[in-house]
Amino acid sequence: MSFRSVIQEVKGEIGAISRRGFRSRPGRVRRVAAAAEEPPDESAAALIRESCWTQLPPELLREVLARVEESEGWWPRRRDVVACAGVCRSWRGIVGEIVHTPEASGKLTFPISLKQPGPRDAPMKCFIVRNRSTQTYYLSIGLTDALTDDGKFLLAARKCRRTTCTEYLISLDMNDISKGTDTYVGKLRSNFLGTKFTVYDAHPPYAGDVISKGQSARVIGSNHLSPRIPAGNYPVSHISYELNVLGSRGPRRMHCAMDSIPVSAIEQGGTAPTQTEFPLSYHESFTSIPFFKSKSVRANNSTASLLTQNGSKLVLKNKSPRWHEHLQCWCLNFHGRVTVASVKNFQLVASDESNPTNQEHDDVILQFGKVGKDMFTMDYRYPISAFQAFAICLSSFDTKIACE
């Protein structure tokens, strides 16, 4: 049998098992994040553990899995890579070494990918769908170059009104968006006026981070989360909107302080903190494996030390639009990714506030804009993650009494 035939047969068997494992689960149907597909169930995994492919020599197995990873470059076919990681410990270890972070590969594969910095070379093109009746928002990654398509679900958020604030709970599960679940990953909280927001991560964004002492900080029992990392409120970003003297006719002015990202991350050779574990209890042995550990942990420790020493946080500000005399409106170049004028539209760029000139950078890190009544595009790139970008975009949906 030729090497190409071996790869094709492995892909065929893995694909059949992954489809059977993902679709034939008893009980309530749950749509979990695209990059957080659950591994095959025990019966499906047992089938492949007993197959001849588990007896391959390690060198040959690594080569076969590398070819599978390379050929299944985008969703939905990329679920086969996730299925390979769920077969057994040896396969999981090899896949963990082969699959790179989104920063290096430009791909979202495992759940932890949603908490890791985006690609450096090109933005990750996503879109958000709003459901007005249920006050929910769904983030998906595009499968084609079109503005909107069926997409691959990534994250969901639900708006919760409180007496003195508004919260947006963010989850990997579009059907169960609450704090008490294994799929809860963080939240966005606003003040009463809707002018200041704080993004909280349910897990520490880097080694040595300190949990917030706020009222809702909590530790979930071992039946919800791995006891190694308590769930709580880790502030990763502060967002503020300034008073708009032109009312709804003028653009909003945004200011985002990224608490967990040093300003050096956007400099030549700089690194951003990269989470290496996603300690959800469901199939914990699968999802809490520290993929990409060796390089990222060193970056996490150095970043924590850097932020402690000089407190130089990355600051993002909205790119200033220009007034178009002919159209009589404020305009930004969204390169065809935004088609409807809206006060919610924005582009965020880095602004080094430690620089006396407060110079604005040209590279757009996060772009958000309207393309339909309840459809919006969201394009993000390094050094922020999909989770951080989604939370920042959610702040644009909230009513801002003092700004409009």
Side-chain angles (χ1 to χ4, degrees):
M1 179 183 294
S2 65
F3 186 69
R4 178 174 298 181
S5 300
V6 171
I7 294 176
Q8 291 297 329
E9 191 163 343
V10 170
K11 287 172 59 177
E13 186 167 348
I14 288 291
I17 291 178
S18 66
R19 289 190 295 271
R20 185 162 59 249
F22 289 130
R23 295 175 181 173
S24 60
R25 295 182 181 278
R28 181 172 62 87
V29 176
R30 300 177 63 195
R31 188 177 181 187
V32 182
E37 299 278 10
E38 297 182 17
D41 56 22
E42 289 300 323
S43 59
L47 291 176
I48 196 166
R49 279 198 298 266
E50 296 173 358
S51 70
C52 60
W53 306 118
T54 58
Q55 308 302 322
L56 289 176
E59 296 78 8
L60 180 58
L61 177 60
R62 179 182 296 274
E63 182 66 21
V64 170
L65 294 180
R67 296 288 184 92
V68 173
E69 194 277 335
E70 182 181 359
S71 62
E72 310 299 347
W74 206 243
W75 294 93
R77 294 173 60 188
R78 195 149 183 83
R79 74 188 325 173
D80 292 347
V81 179
V82 180
C84 289
V87 171
C88 61
R89 181 171 298 180
S90 61
W91 284 47
R92 179 165 59 248
I94 294 176
V95 173
E97 296 173 1
I98 293 173
V99 176
H100 300 289
T101 62
E103 177 184 347
S105 65
K107 302 173 184 177
L108 298 175
T109 306
F110 298 106
I112 195 61
S113 302
L114 301 176
K115 293 288 191 74
Q116 295 175 333
R120 289 179 179 261
D121 299 333
M124 193 77 75
K125 296 181 179 180
C126 308
F127 60 90
I128 298 174
V129 178
R130 174 178 58 185
N131 188 322
R132 294 174 183 262
S133 61
T134 59
Q135 293 288 286
T136 51
Y137 306 83
Y138 305 100
L139 174 67
S140 301
I141 188 170
L143 303 180
T144 65
D145 292 332
L147 288 178
T148 58
D149 52 33
D150 292 339
K152 189 63 177 175
F153 172 71
L154 299 177
L155 291 168
R158 177 169 57 89
K159 185 176 182 179
C160 303
R161 296 185 183 275
R162 311 296 185 193
T163 305
T164 59
C165 67
T166 300
E167 289 187 342
Y168 292 82
L169 305 182
I170 304 176
S171 172
L172 294 169
D173 189 346
M174 69 185 308
N175 296 314
D176 192 357
I177 310 173
S178 60
K179 289 183 180 179
T181 63
D182 297 331
T183 52
Y184 170 74
V185 294
K187 69 179 180 180
L188 172 74
R189 175 186 288 174
S190 75
N191 63 355
F192 178 73
L193 297 177
T195 57
K196 296 184 183 297
F197 297 80
T198 303
V199 180
Y200 294 99
D201 197 328
H203 312 110
Y206 54 80
D209 196 16
V210 179
I211 190 171
S212 170
K213 300 298 183 181
Q215 179 179 358
S216 59
R218 76 209 195 299
V219 176
I220 300 180
S222 59
N223 60 324
H224 287 294
L225 258 168
S226 168
R228 290 174 295 149
I229 302 181
N233 293 332
Y234 296 87
V236 294
S237 178
H238 286 82
I239 309 163
S240 62
Y241 289 82
E242 298 180 12
L243 177 64
N244 184 0
V245 296
L246 297 177
S248 59
R249 294 184 64 251
R252 292 172 175 171
R253 299 182 63 184
M254 295 177 63
H255 181 277
C256 301
M258 309 303 296
D259 297 352
S260 60
I261 304 177
V263 69
S264 61
I266 61 173
E267 298 174 356
Q268 186 70 25
T271 59
T274 304
Q275 293 191 38
T276 58
E277 292 182 306
F278 210 170
L280 298 180
S281 65
Y282 67 101
H283 300 286
E284 183 180 354
S285 61
F286 170 71
T287 57
S288 65
I289 292 297
F291 294 105
F292 336 115
K293 183 173 182 179
S294 58
K295 180 178 179 180
S296 300
V297 167
R298 290 195 297 270
N300 288 350
N301 293 333
S302 61
T303 302
S305 176
L306 175 62
L307 292 178
T308 302
Q309 290 175 1
N310 55 27
S312 298
K313 303 174 183 177
L314 175 66
V315 176
L316 306 179
K317 60 182 292 186
N318 64 301
K319 192 172 185 178
S320 303
R322 297 182 178 180
W323 178 257
H324 197 291
E325 289 292 342
H326 179 69
L327 299 177
Q328 289 294 295
C329 65
W330 296 94
C331 295
L332 280 172
N333 185 6
F334 288 93
H335 303 283
R337 291 284 293 166
V338 177
T339 58
V340 180
S342 172
V343 70
K344 296 180 177 64
N345 301 348
F346 66 81
Q347 290 179 329
L348 293 185
V349 295
S351 173
D352 186 1
E353 292 194 338
S354 61
N355 189 333
T357 62
N358 195 24
Q359 183 179 2
E360 184 178 280
H361 293 251
D362 294 329
D363 294 336
V364 175
I365 293 177
L366 174 60
Q367 174 176 287
F368 174 77
K370 193 172 185 179
V371 294
K373 181 179 179 181
D374 293 302
M375 185 77 69
F376 304 81
T377 56
M378 186 198 87
D379 301 342
Y380 77 98
R381 63 189 305 166
Y382 175 90
I384 66 174
S385 65
F387 165 73
Q388 293 169 333
F390 186 41
I392 294 173
C393 292
L394 288 174
S395 71
S396 186
F397 288 106
D398 205 53
T399 303
K400 295 158 184 61
I401 301 174
C403 294
E404 301 173 358

